[in-house]
Amino acid sequence: MSGGGHAAKAGAHTKHKKGGHDEEEHENHERWLVSYADMMTLLMVLFIVLFAISQVDQKKFAELKNGLAVGFGNPSVAFEGGEASLMESSDSNSPMDLSSGIGGTTSDATAVQDAVQAKERASASKRQQAAADEVKNYDKIKEQIDAELAKQGLADQVKYSVDERGLVVTIVTTGIVFDGNEANLLAAGKKIVDGVGPAIAALPNKIEVDGHTNQLSGGTGNYPSGWELSSARASAVVRMLHTDAGIADNRLQAAGFADTKPLYPSTDPRAETLNRRVEVIVLSNLPADTRALLPSASATS
């Protein structure tokens, strides 16, 4: 046989030895079936998974809804339709309604949404009630302070307000409290602090004392700036609350703000006297989201 014939025969099949004999291994023309079968298997698994995740266990969903209802103080069948209707929908094995977000029907999603909103309303109501109770406690403190200051004829020397920090007792630092550009409490100033101290001494709250100066350019005497003067005045009040009222030092803190937090603009006639002040703040122990309700609770009290 010619060389060309041998080459053609070699291209048609190959040989290998097995058991001492030469055998021919024909080319497998059905290998594509293996890849096809693998692809079909994967597709089947994919559709099985998609079908499985599109089903919702309605019985467990009913238990969730009833549990939420009981937690909110409603009967266990408070949701529309009750458990019976949910069990009926479970028998239908209806697929998940993607538009509703939680399963079965839009009414199910609406019921859960209503439950969440009810919980939020209940939580908001509790916060509002806690803020109202806190304001009532502040009213008792104000009454006690006013009673003490009335004995000294100084009841009009303090003003009250409530903000998100707590109760703010404002002492206007006129000439009867501090001399101009000075931080030593005068006799009347000491009487005012003595009237404030007993009302807040027994409280568990921390006490912050803030010093403020006015915006006028009249100088600050022996102090380099309003920062030092306002801080010194706040510290003088803190020191007296500690020594005379017996408030623990770890409950007290002092801060000076100079003229950075005025009550009135410099063009207002009240700025000269009312911006020059010391604020004794009874800091609230309530959570931040509840403290934010204190001003509104005070306005309605």
Side-chain angles (χ1 to χ4, degrees):
M1 184 180 291
S2 64
H6 285 293
K9 186 176 181 180
H13 59 270
T14 58
K15 295 182 178 181
H16 68 282
K17 291 185 177 182
K18 184 178 180 182
H21 300 283
D22 292 339
E23 293 184 357
E24 293 184 352
E25 180 181 349
H26 294 281
E27 183 178 355
N28 188 352
H29 295 287
E30 298 180 350
R31 288 180 57 84
W32 64 274
L33 288 174
V34 177
S35 299
Y36 178 77
D38 290 341
M39 181 184 69
M40 294 303 293
T41 301
L42 291 174
L43 284 174
M44 181 183 68
V45 171
L46 172 63
F47 283 112
I48 289 175
V49 171
L50 291 176
F51 178 77
I53 65 176
S54 70
Q55 302 299 310
V56 175
D57 190 333
Q58 296 292 342
K59 183 177 180 180
K60 291 183 179 179
F61 183 68
E63 293 174 354
L64 168 64
K65 293 176 70 175
N66 289 332
L68 288 173
V70 173
F72 299 145
N74 298 323
S76 61
V77 292
F79 292 99
E80 295 181 2
E83 184 175 355
S85 62
L86 289 174
M87 294 305 296
E88 291 172 1
S89 64
S90 176
D91 294 337
S92 66
N93 291 323
S94 58
M96 179 172 63
D97 181 359
L98 295 179
S99 64
S100 68
I102 297 211
T105 63
T106 303
S107 61
D108 293 337
T110 302
V112 173
Q113 185 178 11
D114 290 344
V116 172
Q117 291 176 349
K119 182 177 181 181
E120 291 175 350
R121 287 193 297 269
S123 179
S125 178
K126 289 180 180 179
R127 293 196 301 270
Q128 190 67 48
Q129 185 59 51
D133 292 341
E134 185 86 337
V135 170
K136 290 180 181 178
N137 293 333
Y138 294 158
D139 290 339
K140 295 177 182 178
I141 296 172
K142 290 189 290 185
E143 291 174 2
Q144 187 174 348
I145 293 175
D146 286 341
E148 290 294 326
L149 293 179
K151 297 176 183 178
Q152 307 293 334
L154 298 169
D156 59 344
Q157 294 301 310
V158 299
K159 299 182 182 300
Y160 305 99
S161 61
V162 176
D163 60 24
E164 65 279 358
R165 297 173 297 175
L167 174 64
V168 182
V169 182
T170 300
I171 303 171
V172 179
T173 58
T174 59
I176 66 172
V177 179
F178 293 104
D179 275 331
N181 299 327
E182 296 293 334
N184 294 318
L185 279 164
L186 300 176
K190 292 179 180 179
K191 290 180 180 179
I192 293 173
V193 177
D194 278 339
V196 174
I200 63 178
L203 301 175
N205 308 63
K206 290 184 178 297
I207 308 297
E208 178 180 326
V209 180
D210 294 346
H212 301 269
T213 60
N214 57 32
Q215 305 113 297
L216 305 180
S217 57
T220 52
N222 296 324
Y223 295 91
S225 70
W227 297 104
E228 288 83 2
L229 177 58
S230 60
S231 298
R233 286 175 171 170
S235 297
V237 174
V238 163
R239 184 168 57 253
M240 189 169 177
L241 289 174
H242 174 59
T243 57
D244 291 14
I247 299 177
D249 53 4
N250 60 357
R251 288 180 53 205
L252 295 166
Q253 57 191 42
F257 292 92
D259 59 358
T260 60
K261 293 186 176 183
L263 296 177
Y264 304 96
S266 58
T267 55
D268 193 304
R270 295 170 293 182
E272 181 177 358
T273 55
L274 298 184
N275 286 343
R276 183 172 173 258
R277 67 198 189 278
V278 170
E279 295 176 339
V280 179
I281 307 161
V282 181
L283 299 175
S284 175
N285 292 327
L286 295 174
D289 57 350
T290 306
R291 292 199 306 269
L293 302 175
L294 288 174
S296 61
S298 176
T300 57
S301 64

